[in-house]
Amino acid sequence: MMRTSIKHIVLALVMCLAVTACTHNHGEINGWFGTWAIDNITNTTSEGATFTYFMQFQANVVCLRYTDTLHNGGESYGQWDETTTGDGKTTMEITFNGNYDVTILPKTAVYTVTVHSGKHATLTTTDSEGNPFTIHLTKL
């Protein structure tokens, strides 16, 4: 009877730890935490349909990565910062530094967040020639 009680106590402690465990590093970061698939980028020349691109957000670090059908890939790391103005306009500045291997996005850009609802987001900016540049994301 004593063994059953100890097992129940240990099981209850493990369940309490699991329920209170942190799943978001440094807390929730406005819904950006985690991996987002890049569904579409307008006004860009991509390397072809065999590549899949992702953006990953954690704290103030962003990782842009790709993989192909043979599971080859690359990644670029940078910093990001989100700002909301008094009129409710949200912008995100993304700056890649160091190894900039995945070059489908500008190395530095300020994006306007036009959609950010649950599992979908849209970021827009202008490229170096003044053309609109839009990224459509889906949260994985």
Side-chain angles (χ1 to χ4, degrees), residues 80-93:
W80 72 279
D81 184 41
E82 183 181 43
T83 305
T84 302
T85 60
D87 61 356
K89 180 181 172 184
T90 302
T91 61
M92 178 185 289
E93 182 174 0

Side-chain angles (χ1 to χ4, degrees), residues 95-138:
T95 303
F96 293 100
N97 46 33
N99 70 327
Y100 187 56
D101 296 335
V102 186
T103 59
I104 62 166
L105 300 180
K107 190 167 183 177
T108 299
V110 176
Y111 297 91
T112 300
V113 180
T114 56
V115 174
H116 186 207
S117 59
K119 293 194 172 265
H120 298 282
T122 302
L123 308 175
T124 60
T125 191
T126 54
D127 64 15
S128 59
E129 295 158 7
N131 300 314
F133 186 88
T134 304
I135 307 167
H136 299 279
L137 304 167
T138 299

Side-chain angles (χ1 to χ4, degrees), residues 17-68:
L17 288 173
V19 170
T20 60
C22 180
T23 59
H24 295 128
N25 188 29
H26 301 296
E28 181 61 40
I29 51 175
N30 299 330
W32 290 107
F33 178 85
T35 301
W36 293 75
I38 298 178
D39 297 327
N40 185 20
I41 300 176
T42 60
N43 289 346
T44 188
T45 56
S46 67
E47 285 92 1
T50 59
F51 291 93
T52 305
Y53 295 93
F54 303 94
M55 290 183 80
Q56 298 174 307
F57 297 92
Q58 181 174 355
N60 67 335
V61 176
V62 63
C63 176
L64 174 62
R65 67 177 64 235
Y66 77 92
T67 185
D68 65 13

